[in-house]
C-alpha cells in the first residue's frame, strides 16, 4: 500500500510538479480540483496506473472521485489488484 | 410578426409536438416538450410567489440537467433574466457574480448551498436561495422547487429586453457580465436554423455548461425547432472514451464544442475507428483548432460536415467557415474563421479606426442584431467596446486581428490586447496576474500565454518576496480557489526580478521568450 502510494507520488512529482518539494505533496492534497492534473494529465496518469500496476481502469472510474488525491488513487489501484 | 422572446419561441415548438422528447439526460431520464413546459410553468409560479418581477435577474447555479434547463425556461417565462453561474467555479467568484448583477433570487443545487451561503453573507449579499435536488429521476417533478395550482400567464418580452447575462474574464481582475437580449439570441438562433437546417429528427449534443456562450446554440436551437437535446455531463465531457460511447449510444446528429475536446476524441476516443453513422454536423468554436488534430479527427470520422464558428460572447457567432473534406497532408495553417454570418456586417479597421484596404491586417468590427447591449454595470467599458461608424451604426470592437481574403473570408491573426482562449474560454491574462499577485509570497508576477501542440499554455513568471521558489502546489491551490481551473497557470517560472524595458515597464516580450 505505501509502496503503491510512493510510486504514484513519484510519477506525479516527476511529470506534473517538476522541482516541487516532495513533502508538499501530501496524501490528501487535492490534485484535480486544484489544477495540478488537467484532463490530459489525468489520462496520462491513468495510462501509467494501468501499465505500472497491470490493472484496467474503466472510463467511468477515471473521475475526480477516484483520482483527486494520492489516498484516493492508492485506494483505486488497491481495489483492482 | 416574428417571435420576440425565447420562451415564446420554445412554447411554439412545444405546442407543435408536446409528446416529442425535448431533453435526454443519459444518466437520469428524459422529458418531453410538454413536460418541460409544465416544469418551467411551475418554476414561474414559484418565482411569482417569491416576488420576482419581469426584468429581475435570477441566478441559475445548477449543473447541466433537465432541472437546470427547466429553471432557465421558467425564468424566461417569468420575463426575468437568467444569470448562469458555474457550479464548478470558485465560490468567491460565483458569489461576486450574483452580487454584482443584483440577483433577486438564486436557484441553487442543494450540494452547492453549504459553501455559497456563508460566502454570500461575507460579502453582504442578501440573496434568497431556492434549492434544487438532482435526484436519480432526471426532471422528476419531485426534485423541483415550484408551485402547483393556477399558473401565471407567460410574460411576453420584446426583442430589446435582456434575456441573460454571461460573465467572462475581465482584464482588471474581476469578471464582467455581457448583457444579451431576446432579440440578440433569436437573431443568432434564426441564423443557425438557416444554415444547419435542424429538424425534429436531430439530436444535438449539449456539451457546454450554461455559463459558457456555446450553450446558447445547444439550448435554444433544438428547443425552438423541436429537436432533441442530449446532455453531456461535466464528468463525461472531459473523457473522450465516454464521449464516443455517448455519441454512438444516443445516435447524435449534431456535435458542438470547443476544439480541445475534439482533439482528445481524435487522439484517444476509441481503439476502433470511430463510427457514428448518424452524426451529420461537427461544429466547433471558441479557439483555434490545430490543423494536425482536425485532420486526424476528419480521417477517423470522414462523413459529417465540419464548421468552424467564430464569435466573442458579445456578438454570438459572427463568422463561419465550412472545413473542406480531405484536409491536405501538407496544410499546417489553421483554417479561416470564415465569412460574415448573413444577419451581420463586418469591417476591418486600422488602429486609428479607419477602414483598411482589403488584405491588410486590422481589427474586426461587427454590427447587427446579435451584438450585446453592453457590460452589466460597467458604463465606461461598455462605451469603449463600441465605435460609431461613418454610417451611424454601432460597431463592436472584437479585439481580434484579422485579414480579409478577396472572397470575403477572414483569417484570425491574433489579439490586440492580452486576452487568450483556453479550452474555448476567454482568459484575460491580467485577471490571472491579479490572482497570482494575491499570494502572500509573490512580490511580482507577469502572465503570458503560448501556443503548443495541445493548445494554449499559460505561464506565470514570478519574483518571490524572499527570492526563492514557491511551492507549485501552494500556488496552484491558491489560484484554483479564486479563478476557474482553465485560468490557473500551467507553468510557473521563478526569477529574482521581472525583466524591465528601458522605460521601466514589465518587458513582456522577454517574458514571452522565457515561457
Amino acid at each position: 500500500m505505501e509502496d503503491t502510494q510512493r510510486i504514484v507520488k513519484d510519477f506525479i512529482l516527476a511529470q506534473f510538479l517538476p522541482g516541487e518539494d516532495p513533502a508538499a505533496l501530501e496524501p490528501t492534497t487535492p490534485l484535480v480540483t486544484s489544477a495540478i492534473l488537467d484532463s490530459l494529465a489525468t489520462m496520462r496518469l491513468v495510462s501509467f496506473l494501468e501499465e505500472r500496476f497491470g490493472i484496467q481502469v474503466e472510463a467511468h472510474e477515471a473521475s475526480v472521485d477516484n483520482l483527486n488525491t494520492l489516498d484516493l488513487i492508492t485506494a483505486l489501484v488497491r481495489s483492482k489488484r | 410578426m416574428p417571435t420576440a422572446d425565447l420562451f415564446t419561441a420554445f412554447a411554439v415548438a412545444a405546442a407543435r409536438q408536446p409528446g416529442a422528447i425535448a431533453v435526454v439526460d443519459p444518466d437520469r431520464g428524459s422529458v418531453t416538450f410538454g413536460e418541460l413546459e409544465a416544469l418551467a410553468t411551475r418554476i414561474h409560479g414559484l418565482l411569482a410567489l417569491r416576488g420576482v418581477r419581469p426584468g429581475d435577474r435570477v441566478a441559475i447555479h445548477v449543473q447541466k440537467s433537465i432541472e437546470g434547463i427547466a429553471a432557465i425556461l421558467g425564468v424566461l417565462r417569468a420575463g426575468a433574466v437568467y444569470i448562469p453561474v458555474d457550479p464548478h467555479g470558485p465560490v468567491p467568484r460565483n458569489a461576486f457574480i450574483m452580487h454584482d448583477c443584483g440577483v433577486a433570487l438564486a436557484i441553487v443545487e442543494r450540494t452547492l448551498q453549504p459553501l455559497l451561503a456563508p460566502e454570500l453573507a461575507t460579502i453582504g449579499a442578501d440573496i434568497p436561495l431556492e434549492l434544487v435536488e438532482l435526484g436519480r429521476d432526471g426532471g422528476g417533478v419531485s426534485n423541483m422547487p415550484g408551485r402547483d395550482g393556477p399558473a401565471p400567464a407567460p410574460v411576453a418580452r420584446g426583442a430589446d429586453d435582456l434575456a441573460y447575462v454571461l460573465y467572462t474574464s475581465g482584464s482588471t481582475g474581476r469578471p464582467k457580465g455581457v448583457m444579451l437580449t431576446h432579440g440578440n439570441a433569436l437573431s443568432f438562433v434564426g441564423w443557425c436554423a438557416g444554415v444547419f437546417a435542424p429538424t425534429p429528427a436531430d439530436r444535438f449534443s449539449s456539451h457546454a455548461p450554461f455559463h459558457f456562450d456555446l450553450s446558447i446554440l445547444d439550448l435554444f436551437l433544438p428547443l425552438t425547432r423541436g429537436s432533441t437535446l442530449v446532455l453531456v455531463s461535466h464528468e463525461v465531457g472531459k473523457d473522450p472514451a465516454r464521449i464516443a460511447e455517448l455519441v454512438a449510444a444516443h445516435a447524435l446528429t449534431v456535435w458542438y464544442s470547443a476544439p480541445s475536446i475534439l482533439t482528445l476524441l481524435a487522439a484517444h476516443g476509441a481503439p476502433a475507428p470511430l463510427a457514428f453513422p448518424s452524426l451529420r454536423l461537427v461544429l466547433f468554436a471558441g479557439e483555434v483548432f490545430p490543423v494536425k488534430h482536425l485532420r486526424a479527427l476528419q480521417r477517423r470520422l470522414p462523413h459529417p460536415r465540419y464548421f468552424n464558428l467564430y464569435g466573442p460572447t458579445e456578438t454570438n457567432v459572427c463568422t463561419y467557415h465550412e472545413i473542406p473534406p480531405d484536409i491536405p497532408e501538407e496544410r499546417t495553417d489553421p483554417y479561416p474563421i470564415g465569412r460574415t454570418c448573413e444577419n451581420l456586417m463586418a469591417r476591418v479597421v486600422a488602429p486609428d479606426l479607419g477602414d483598411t484596404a482589403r488584405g491588410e491586417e486590422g481589427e474586426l468590427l461587427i454590427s447587427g442584431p446579435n451584438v450585446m447591449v453592453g457590460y452589466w454595470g460597467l458604463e465606461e467599458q461598455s462605451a469603449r467596446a463600441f465605435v460609431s461608424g461613418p454610417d451611424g451604426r454601432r460597431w463592436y470592437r472584437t479585439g481580434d486581428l484579422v485579414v480579409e481574403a478577396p472572397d470575403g473570408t477572414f483569417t484570425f491573426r491574433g489579439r490586440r490586447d492580452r486576452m487568450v482562449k483556453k479550452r474555448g474560454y476567454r482568459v484575460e491574462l491580467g485577471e490571472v496576474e491579479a490572482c497570482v499577485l494575491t499570494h502572500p509570497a509573490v512580490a511580482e508576477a507577469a502572465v503570458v500565454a503560448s501556443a503548443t501542440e495541445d493548445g494554449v499554455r499559460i505561464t506565470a513568471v514570478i519574483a518571490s518576496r524572499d527570492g526563492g521558489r514557491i511551492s507549485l502546489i501552494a500556488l496552484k491551490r491558491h489560484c484554483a480557489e479564486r479563478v476557474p481551473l482553465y485560468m490557473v497557470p500551467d507553468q510557473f517560472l521563478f526569477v529574482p526580478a521581472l525583466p524591465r524595458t528601458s522605460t521601466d515597464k514589465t518587458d513582456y516580450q522577454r517574458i514571452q521568450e522565457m515561457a
Side-chain angles (χ1 to χ4, degrees):
Chain A
M1 164 85 182
E2 272 170 23
D3 200 37
T4 303
Q5 189 158 109
R6 191 184 50 74
I7 292 167
V8 177
K9 179 173 171 170
D10 288 348
F11 176 79
I12 291 173
L13 283 169
Q15 295 293 316
F16 310 119
L17 294 166
E20 183 70 4
D21 171 11
L25 180 54
E26 293 175 19
T28 55
T29 301
L31 299 170
V32 178
T33 54
S34 61
I36 292 167
L37 298 180
D38 63 12
S39 25
L40 210 61
T42 304
M43 282 196 291
R44 279 172 59 198
L45 172 68
V46 169
S47 304
F48 170 78
L49 297 176
E50 291 184 330
E51 206 161 298
R52 182 66 180 73
F53 299 107
I55 58 172
Q56 177 83 40
V57 179
E58 303 298 329
H60 70 271
E61 293 169 328
S63 68
V64 62
D65 299 339
N66 288 323
L67 300 174
N68 202 31
T69 65
L70 283 175
D71 275 349
L72 288 169
I73 299 168
T74 311
L76 176 72
V77 171
R78 210 174 165 199
S79 73
K80 297 269 176 186
R81 298 181 86 183
Chain B
M1 191 181 136
T3 304
D5 73 81
L6 285 166
F7 182 80
T8 305
F10 160 72
V12 166
R16 213 178 289 134
Q17 43 169 45
I21 299 294
V23 185
V24 177
D25 181 334
D27 298 325
R28 300 174 49 240
S30 61
V31 282
T32 64
F33 275 86
E35 288 164 345
L36 187 58
E37 186 170 6
L39 289 173
T41 303
R42 274 176 59 89
I43 294 274
H44 180 183
L46 176 83
L47 296 177
L49 195 68
R50 295 281 181 269
V52 171
R53 290 159 306 179
D56 281 354
R57 277 79 56 210
V58 175
I60 305 288
H61 195 32
V62 180
Q63 56 180 298
K64 203 155 32 152
S65 54
I66 291 167
E67 291 88 340
I69 293 172
I72 286 173
L73 291 169
V75 170
L76 294 173
R77 191 181 191 278
V81 180
Y82 80 90
I83 316 294
V85 180
D86 183 3
H88 300 279
V91 180
R93 185 184 172 96
N94 290 341
F96 168 83
I97 289 171
M98 292 185 196
H99 191 43
D100 183 55
C101 66
V103 300
L105 181 128
I107 298 176
V108 176
E109 204 173 317
R110 185 177 294 279
T111 54
L112 299 170
Q113 186 262 350
L115 288 175
L116 177 69
E119 186 67 31
L120 288 171
T122 306
I123 61 171
D126 183 19
I127 298 172
L129 307 182
E130 279 298 334
L131 301 183
V132 182
E133 187 105 45
L134 301 187
R136 288 302 305 167
D137 57 331
V141 173
S142 60
N143 301 328
M144 298 289 291
R147 198 184 66 153
D148 292 321
V155 178
R157 301 301 277 169
D160 293 337
D161 290 315
L162 284 190
Y164 50 92
V165 179
L166 299 179
Y167 276 76
T168 70
S169 182
S171 56
T172 56
R174 47 165 283 190
K176 57 182 198 263
V178 179
M179 299 189 282
L180 293 147
T181 63
H182 288 271
N184 292 152
L186 285 170
S187 167
F188 167 55
V189 169
W191 173 83
C192 292
V195 176
F196 304 124
T199 74
D202 271 314
R203 300 167 69 81
F204 282 71
S205 71
S206 168
H207 182 269
F210 295 141
H211 66 281
F212 189 10
D213 62 349
L214 270 62
S215 70
I216 302 305
L217 188 159
D218 295 345
L219 294 177
F220 296 110
L221 184 57
L223 290 180
T224 59
R225 297 303 188 279
S227 316
T228 299
L229 182 63
V230 178
L231 305 184
V232 185
S233 70
H234 182 69
E235 283 298 322
V236 171
K238 292 187 296 188
D239 184 329
R242 296 180 73 187
I243 288 176
E245 277 171 30
L246 181 133
V247 174
H250 291 274
L252 296 190
T253 61
V254 183
W255 177 270
Y256 183 34
S257 72
S260 46
I261 192 67
L262 289 167
T263 296
L264 292 181
L265 192 64
H268 307 273
L274 301 176
F276 307 138
S278 54
L279 193 64
R280 69 179 184 90
L281 285 172
V282 174
L283 314 177
F284 55 89
E287 63 192 325
V288 174
F289 201 149
V291 166
K292 181 180 125 179
H293 297 305
L294 179 55
R295 181 166 44 229
L297 181 68
Q298 202 186 45
R299 294 219 169 135
R300 297 193 71 175
L301 203 56
H303 63 278
R305 294 171 70 190
Y306 290 77
F307 284 90
N308 182 13
L309 308 184
Y310 156 87
T313 305
E314 286 86 341
T315 64
N316 286 303
V317 171
C318 52
T319 71
Y320 70 115
H321 184 74
E322 181 165 7
I323 308 298
D326 299 320
I327 299 172
E329 189 61 47
E330 62 279 9
R331 186 179 179 105
T332 53
D333 288 344
Y335 277 94
I337 56 173
R339 64 173 192 267
T340 315
C341 295
E342 287 71 5
N343 57 340
L344 298 174
M345 289 181 298
R347 276 166 64 201
V348 181
V349 297
D352 67 359
L353 300 175
D355 287 291
T356 56
R358 187 171 276 194
E360 268 176 39
E361 183 175 297
E363 182 182 356
L364 182 65
L365 307 188
I366 298 291
S367 184
N370 285 16
V371 180
M372 70 158 181
V373 182
Y375 300 111
W376 181 269
L378 297 172
E379 276 174 34
E380 212 177 294
Q381 284 195 45
S382 303
R384 273 203 310 263
F386 292 99
V387 289
S388 358
D391 49 6
R393 287 178 191 282
R394 201 164 148 265
W395 292 85
Y396 171 71
R397 300 186 63 172
T398 65
D400 286 329
L401 301 176
V402 300
V403 168
E404 187 178 3
D407 66 354
T409 306
F410 296 101
T411 296
F412 175 72
R413 285 291 185 80
R415 290 284 302 173
R416 71 169 164 85
D417 55 16
R418 299 185 59 219
M419 191 194 82
V420 297
K421 290 296 208 65
K422 176 137 179 223
R423 284 179 238 153
Y425 288 95
R426 269 153 69 150
V427 177
E428 288 283 3
L429 297 174
E431 186 175 359
V432 181
E433 238 163 52
C435 169
V436 172
L437 278 167
T438 59
H439 190 284
V442 173
E444 291 184 289
V447 174
V448 292
S450 33
T452 74
E453 252 190 14
D454 295 314
V456 166
R457 181 176 64 203
I458 298 176
T459 301
V461 177
I462 291 175
S464 70
R465 293 199 184 280
D466 66 3
R469 282 178 63 95
I470 306 168
S471 160
L472 299 179
I473 295 172
L475 283 168
K476 288 219 172 198
R477 288 183 75 167
H478 177 85
C479 293
E481 283 162 13
R482 288 163 179 80
V483 294
L485 291 183
Y486 57 82
M487 287 175 64
V488 177
D490 303 291
Q491 177 175 243
F492 292 89
L493 301 176
F494 299 93
V495 292
L498 292 186
R500 304 256 160 216
T501 63
S502 57
T503 53
D504 207 33
K505 290 183 180 153
T506 305
D507 187 346
Y508 278 99
Q509 205 173 333
R510 277 181 56 202
I511 290 166
Q512 188 77 54
E513 287 159 16
M514 293 164 68

